Amino acid sequence: MAHLPQHGLFPTLSATAKWYDRRDFVFVEFCVEDSKDVHVQLDKSKFEFRCVSGKDKYNNEIELFGEIDPKQSKHSRTDRSVQCCLRKAEAGKSWPRLTKEKAKFKWLSVDFNNWKDWEDDSDEDMSSFDNFSEMMNNMGGDDLPDLDGGEYGAEEHDSADSDDEKMPDLE
């Protein structure tokens, strides 16, 4: 049953959020337009986000997958969202999800526009990422998305190398 406003009070909602992982940071964006009274409380293993937008009140409490350094973490507000940059306590460790629980949350999704496989590259040097993508394409990685709108290693696909032939379907 939905919460109904009582005596002028409105129910608290969960703000829609999307997240992505990097080598040293985890980024979380709360998609709330024209937010006011923004409050972000950071602890080493959880954080809380609260704000008001119009007549709606938002509150998200998140038990994090890993630990963060609250003093090195920050947030910023724009007219369209509140972005949180959480410094990992253990840099270089991948987070397979944002939350400690494996449960799915309707309000939380992965930000695929910013997600990248950082284990095989660095922010400054994309060449190893390109090499990894090329290697996967050469290994028959036809299911991989076209990451930059072009073909990786297109010249190499023209060779008559027997390793590049399509494998027969398994029966």
Side-chain angles (χ1 to χ4, degrees), residues 148-165:
D148 71 348
E151 292 268 328
Y152 287 113
E155 315 79 46
E156 295 175 24
H157 287 292
D158 294 337
S159 71
D161 202 8
S162 63
D163 290 339
D164 292 340
E165 293 177 13

Side-chain angles (χ1 to χ4, degrees), residues 9-26:
L9 299 175
F10 292 88
T12 301
L13 307 168
S14 293
T16 301
K18 49 189 178 178
W19 80 284
Y20 62 97
D21 185 33
R22 286 291 195 272
R23 186 173 306 281
D24 299 329
F25 296 92
V26 172

Side-chain angles (χ1 to χ4, degrees), residues 45-47 61-66 98-101:
S45 61
K46 64 181 179 176
F47 85 100
E61 293 183 31
I62 302 171
E63 291 281 334
L64 297 168
F65 174 81
L98 178 65
T99 61
K100 187 175 184 176
E101 295 179 53

Side-chain angles (χ1 to χ4, degrees), residues 96-146:
R97 61 185 176 277
L98 178 65
T99 61
K100 187 175 184 176
E101 295 179 53
K102 288 186 179 183
K104 281 235 181 222
F105 297 93
K106 290 181 182 180
W107 54 267
L108 181 62
S109 64
V110 172
D111 184 352
F112 287 108
N113 291 333
N114 287 307
W115 192 275
K116 69 178 182 178
D117 187 7
W118 55 260
E119 291 173 339
D120 293 307
D121 76 336
S122 70
D123 289 340
E124 299 80 31
D125 181 17
M126 289 297 290
S127 64
S128 57
F129 181 70
D130 292 343
N131 291 340
F132 175 76
S133 297
E134 181 176 301
M135 178 186 75
M136 291 304 290
N137 284 341
N138 288 338
M139 291 175 58
D142 296 330
D143 295 338
L144 292 177
D146 187 5

Side-chain angles (χ1 to χ4, degrees), residues 36-49:
K36 294 178 180 31
D37 301 327
V38 174
H39 174 77
V40 177
Q41 177 68 42
L42 300 170
D43 290 324
K44 66 180 184 177
S45 61
K46 64 181 179 176
F47 85 100
E48 181 180 10
F49 168 78

